């Protein structure tokens, strides 16, 4: 939960609700849920001076691509106002996730509701247990502290 770990960024979204769509995209870039995609090459290709033969199994490291300094200014910084944000969190091309629009809508509704209901939202602990997975990133549990706010 990048917002809870970056309270200044959460405050920026509270002050400017128009940043919420940008903030969601930044969470997807910064904490990319799917870290890697497994593929097989259809034909021989050369990538950065390395020849990869046809039929080779490769792993595209999406999480690393979303931190590429050639694509993102200050890639290690979480910035809810980052735009444009050409991340690959939902894949690309024919492998683009069909559920991406639904995921974005669900995140928008959930975060808008959380911001309306709670004056404060913070991690209960700075450390969270990672999900046991090679290619999918995220917490196994994410305890948070909340403080009620007046409804909007």
């Amino acid at each position: 939960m990048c917002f809870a770990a970056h309270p200044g960024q959460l405050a920026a979204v509270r002050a400017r609700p128009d940043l919420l769509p940008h903030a969601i995209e930044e969470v997807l870039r910064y904490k990319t849920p799917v870290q890697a995609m497994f593929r097989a090459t259809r034909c021989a290709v050369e990538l950065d001076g390395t020849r990869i033969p046809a039929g080779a199994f490769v792993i595209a490291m999406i999480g690393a691509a979303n931190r590429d300094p050639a694509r993102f200014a200050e890639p290690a910084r979480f910035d809810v106002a980052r735009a444009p944000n050409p991340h690959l969190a939902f894949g690309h091309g024919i492998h683009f996730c069909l559920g991406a629009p639904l995921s974005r809508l669900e995140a928008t509704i959930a975060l808008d509701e959380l911001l309306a209901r709670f004056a404060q939202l913070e991690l209960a602990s700075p450390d969270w247990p990672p999900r046991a997975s090679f290619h999918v990133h995220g917490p196994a549990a994410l305890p948070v502290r909340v403080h009620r706010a007046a409804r909007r």
Side-chain angles (χ1 to χ4, degrees):
M1 178 135 193
C2 296
F3 293 126
H6 298 88
Q9 300 286 317
L10 182 60
V13 175
R14 280 188 191 280
R16 290 196 42 210
D18 62 300
L19 287 177
L20 186 56
H22 295 290
I24 290 167
E25 297 304 315
E26 182 66 349
V27 169
L28 289 166
R29 182 198 70 84
Y30 191 80
K31 289 287 189 185
T32 307
V34 177
Q35 290 290 301
M37 292 185 181
F38 302 89
R39 298 287 182 258
T41 57
R42 293 177 67 186
C43 59
V45 295
E46 186 171 314
L47 183 62
D48 200 29
T50 300
R51 188 176 189 291
I52 303 170
F57 291 102
V58 296
I59 301 173
M61 300 303 294
I62 305 304
N66 284 339
R67 297 291 183 101
D68 183 351
R71 297 280 294 179
F72 301 97
E74 298 181 78
R77 184 171 61 89
F78 181 71
D79 178 8
V80 296
R82 186 181 300 273
N85 195 339
H87 64 77
L88 298 173
F90 289 118
H92 180 73
I94 64 168
H95 296 287
F96 187 76
C97 177
L98 291 175
L102 177 60
S103 179
R104 287 179 168 117
L105 178 61
E106 289 172 338
T108 300
I109 292 167
L111 289 171
D112 188 52
E113 192 64 26
L114 283 170
L115 291 172
R117 284 185 187 221
F118 302 111
Q120 278 187 284
L121 178 64
E122 60 192 13
L123 291 174
S125 168
D127 300 314
W128 45 267
R131 180 177 181 208
S133 174
F134 168 73
H135 71 292
V136 178
H137 181 83
L142 190 64
V144 294
R145 284 190 201 99
V146 294
H147 303 279
R148 285 242 177 243
R151 301 265 315 164
R152 285 189 254 175

